[in-house]
Amino acid sequence: MKLTFDYLRHTDQDAATPARHPVIVVGAGPVGLALAIDLAQQHVPVVLLDNDNKLSSGSRAICFSKRSLEIFDRLGCGDPIASKGVSWKLGRVFLQDEQIYEFDLLPEEGHERPAFVNLQQYYVEGFLAERAAQLPLIDIRWNNKVVGIAQHGDHAELTVETPEGSYLLHVDWVAACDGSRSTLRQLLGLESKGRSFRDRFLIADVKMDVQFPAERWFWFDPSFHRNQSVLLHMQPDGMWRIDFQLGWDADPEEEKKPENIIPRVRAMLDASPFKGAEFTLEWASVYTFSCQRMDSFRHGRVLFAGDSAHGVSPFGARGANSGLQDGENLAWKLAAVLRGDAPDALLNSYAREREAAADENILNSSRATDFITPKSDVSRLFRDAALHLARQHPFARRMVNSGRLSVPATLGDSVLNTGDTDRFSGLMVPGAVAADAPFVKGQSPDWLMRQLCDTRFSALVFGDGPTAKASLRAIADSDCALHVVRIPLDAAHALAARRYDAQDGTTYLIRPDQHVAARWREPRTEALRAALARAMCRTASTAIA
């Protein structure tokens, strides 16, 4: 895998007048790369600018969720990421040195992808960069730093600094994926608001050859690190990620020194099943964090995604995973606006939907941090009582919060949704991410999520009976150009029918980002047209300021 990339001079740098592009993505981290790939797959040419020329170092983001893997599948790099990553779904929680309970994040079978894979961020970036290099509509420019922006009525102008001097670019839309210290946010005079937590944590990437199951282990107040917490994750290549809570008064520079890290790791290993294991310290960092977001993710022709728009604590793996969901939400909407299929008000729905998702992630992340690092005697008393009760009482385990792990947001309040007019049960409400299930394609076993289309809306139609035929006629008469997926009501598809509460004729309208837009027992032609128009922001009722 390529780790560094060459700066190459581009013809745009020699243009007499600034070249104009439909979309420029700023930042080639996981979110920016994924967004660029998504746009290219929807036939949108995209320029991707990065101020550096190498992949990230150290583990950084490592827990990639089932939903992120499904996004990677759509982008054409899910298989190598899933194969390289360490799959896991079981977590264990310890109080001092005693396990108090364990949890299973994916107890039900019938999903192609696991609950999570652990994979160092540089591998994810590498696989995404390899995929991007396969797509001719992506123009990646390394060592191209945006140092200025001016917005005009129908475009933005970027000033880009390179090793050979600066040049100008004109662009219809800018996607700011340039991280928590976003240059574009600063250039526009914007800020994120929220809580900063007065605590420090040490990340240590440790290499050791041990045979042990891939699980998430979290300790409260262990004997080897009193009055603090420790988190352990397995990574590929014999690498293990250990997070040590240090406290606010810790000196970051001292704590990063190997002579201080190695004794901490040795004490942890000797108090665990790894006792006596030999290890080498590969990388370390000390971090603090905030839970915050921008007031709005859209500012004129600039749309913010990922860490540039919002920040959370690392507990729950909500950072990179939510950023990838930002990207998939934005890509299809940008493509629709550029094609002229939707007004640019559709981009306001990106901001509103992902702002609501960020609020949900920030709430969960803040609660986890407050539980892990209580800031008062009363909070600590509650936490310790919940931990002691959790040994024997399942109800108390719901109070224990070592990081509620990332799940995709249900966009239930989105104005793009069409509310139910028929009775349904289950989780597949308008705004929810579509659920996977086994699917038979021809004579071969496959998966339902792989049948959905990422360039237009899909219609899932269940059954082969008279109501299903009526549903199919309504779709044909609507002229909505939907990608139709037929799902028989047979034993091979029983799990899909159960997850979607389906009967003959049941139809789901699925957005290109795989969220449910509407559902019916038997749709009428006008209902289909209205739901699609609503989901594309083409009606007065979905005009979003």
Side-chain angles (χ1 to χ4, degrees):
M1 177 177 291
K2 196 171 183 179
L3 300 178
T4 60
F5 304 87
D6 294 331
Y7 161 78
L8 298 174
R9 186 175 182 85
H10 195 277
T11 55
D12 285 357
Q13 294 169 249
D14 301 313
T17 58
R20 183 156 177 167
H21 299 276
V23 179
I24 292 177
V25 176
V26 180
V31 177
L33 283 162
L35 174 57
I37 294 167
D38 212 340
L39 287 166
Q41 291 186 169
Q42 300 192 56
H43 314 296
V44 175
V46 57
V47 175
L48 177 56
L49 305 177
D50 195 84
N51 64 357
D52 203 353
N53 71 330
K54 58 182 179 296
L55 303 182
S56 62
S57 60
S59 55
R60 301 187 185 273
I62 65 163
C63 294
F64 291 90
S65 68
K66 175 179 178 291
R67 180 64 199 142
S68 293
L69 294 172
E70 291 166 349
I71 294 171
F72 294 145
D73 283 335
R74 273 201 313 103
L75 302 183
C77 53
D79 286 340
I81 288 175
S83 297
K84 181 65 178 177
V86 174
S87 299
W88 68 276
K89 63 173 186 169
L90 190 70
R92 300 182 189 274
V93 178
F94 298 82
L95 176 58
Q96 296 170 356
D97 297 336
E98 178 187 352
Q99 179 179 321
I100 54 176
Y101 74 96
E102 63 185 52
F103 56 87
D104 189 335
L105 292 168
L106 197 65
E108 187 181 50
E109 298 297 324
H111 300 269
E112 180 181 9
R113 294 307 186 190
F116 282 88
V117 299
N118 289 349
L119 185 62
Q120 297 93 319
Q121 182 173 320
Y122 52 81
Y123 276 125
V124 173
E125 290 175 359
F127 287 124
L128 288 167
E130 288 176 353
R131 173 60 180 150
Q134 297 170 356
L135 300 172
L137 289 180
I138 298 179
D139 174 8
I140 304 181
R141 303 183 191 179
W142 303 101
N143 282 336
N144 275 240
K145 180 181 180 180
V146 176
V147 295
I149 181 169
Q151 297 206 62
H152 305 283
D154 66 343
H155 72 282
E157 181 180 85
L158 300 182
T159 304
V160 184
E161 185 179 83
T162 78
E164 296 181 313
S166 299
Y167 68 107
L168 299 178
L169 289 172
H170 287 179
V171 59
D172 295 342
W173 301 101
V174 179
C177 305
D178 52 342
S180 60
R181 296 181 177 87
S182 171
T183 298
L184 278 167
R185 193 177 63 225
Q186 295 171 26
L187 290 170
L188 291 171
L190 304 170
E191 61 180 354
S192 290
K193 300 174 183 176
R195 290 176 64 191
S196 293
F197 291 85
R198 289 172 61 85
D199 215 330
R200 301 187 196 278
F201 289 79
L202 167 71
I203 304 173
D205 279 352
V206 172
K207 194 160 193 174
M208 55 184 176
D209 184 15
V210 294
Q211 299 302 314
F212 208 72
E215 299 171 352
R216 178 187 193 261
W217 285 29
F218 195 101
W219 286 268
F220 291 94
D221 189 22
S223 62
F224 55 86
H225 197 55
R226 280 297 184 202
N227 300 314
Q228 306 284 20
S229 63
V230 178
L231 174 63
L232 174 70
H233 270 293
M234 180 193 291
Q235 303 178 83
D237 305 331
M239 197 79 72
W240 295 75
R241 159 84 167 261
I242 310 170
D243 290 51
F244 292 95
Q245 182 186 358
L246 298 176
W248 181 245
D249 294 331
D251 183 330
E253 294 307 314
E254 285 297 314
E255 294 294 346
K256 282 192 291 188
K257 292 179 178 178
E259 60 265 31
N260 293 321
I261 297 173
I262 289 171
R264 290 191 189 279
V265 175
R266 180 80 275 158
M268 190 214 79
L269 296 179
D270 287 349
S272 74
F274 305 101
K275 185 173 183 178
E278 296 298 320
F279 68 90
T280 56
L281 178 64
E282 298 289 320
W283 177 80
S285 179
V286 173
Y287 65 88
T288 59
F289 55 83
S290 301
C291 291
Q292 58 188 13
R293 74 166 175 89
M294 299 176 66
D295 288 336
S296 175
F297 292 179
R298 179 181 178 185
H299 289 268
R301 295 190 164 268
V302 184
L303 300 119
F304 289 83
D307 287 350
S308 70
H310 49 78
V312 293
S313 80
F315 308 114
R318 293 174 178 269
N321 289 302
S322 62
L324 290 165
Q325 292 164 42
D326 292 346
E328 70 158 359
N329 187 298
L330 179 56
W332 74 269
K333 294 174 181 179
L334 271 174
V337 170
L338 287 163
R339 287 195 303 264
D341 292 342
D344 81 4
L346 183 62
L347 299 177
N348 293 335
S349 79
Y350 159 74
R352 300 296 91 80
E353 287 181 347
R354 295 312 301 169
E355 287 157 11
D359 287 341
E360 179 180 313
N361 284 317
I362 288 169
L363 177 63
N364 280 283
S365 183
S366 298
R367 285 175 173 172
T369 304
D370 287 338
F371 191 89
I372 292 166
T373 63
K375 300 301 185 290
S376 70
D377 291 340
V378 172
S379 296
R380 183 174 291 276
L381 185 65
F382 169 80
R383 187 199 73 172
D384 292 348
L387 289 168
H388 284 287
L389 285 168
R391 285 190 175 102
Q392 301 294 332
H393 303 287
F395 81 88
R397 294 168 191 169
R398 293 191 295 273
M399 303 178 192
V400 174
N401 194 337
S402 63
R404 298 276 187 264
L405 285 147
S406 176
V407 293
T410 295
L411 309 173
D413 294 329
S414 173
V415 298
L416 305 189
N417 297 339
T418 294
D420 287 335
T421 54
D422 302 315
R423 291 178 63 85
F424 281 89
S425 62
L427 301 176
M428 290 296 96
V429 298
V433 172
D436 204 7
F439 184 87
V440 178
K441 187 174 183 179
Q443 301 297 318
S444 302
D446 207 336
W447 295 94
L448 179 56
M449 295 294 276
R450 290 188 178 270
Q451 314 313 310
L452 302 177
C453 184
D454 64 355
T455 58
R456 53 193 170 118
F457 282 68
S458 298
L460 305 183
V461 181
F462 287 84
D464 298 296
T467 310
K469 292 174 182 175
S471 296
L472 290 167
R473 283 196 298 274
I475 292 170
D477 292 343
S478 73
D479 297 322
C480 286
L482 302 177
H483 172 73
V484 177
V485 180
R486 302 283 305 276
I487 307 173
L489 293 173
D490 57 16
H493 300 88
L495 191 53
R498 176 161 63 82
R499 287 180 177 159
Y500 287 82
D501 184 30
Q503 57 197 43
D504 188 57
T506 294
T507 300
Y508 280 75
L509 183 66
I510 309 294
R511 297 172 7 172
D513 61 358
Q514 301 179 338
H515 282 261
V516 176
R519 58 182 178 175
W520 305 270
R521 291 301 180 192
E522 180 187 346
R524 299 291 186 262
T525 297
E526 286 308 312
L528 282 160
R529 289 174 181 157
L532 184 61
R534 185 178 186 87
M536 294 288 279
C537 216
R538 293 197 299 243
T539 65
S541 61
T542 52
I544 308 166

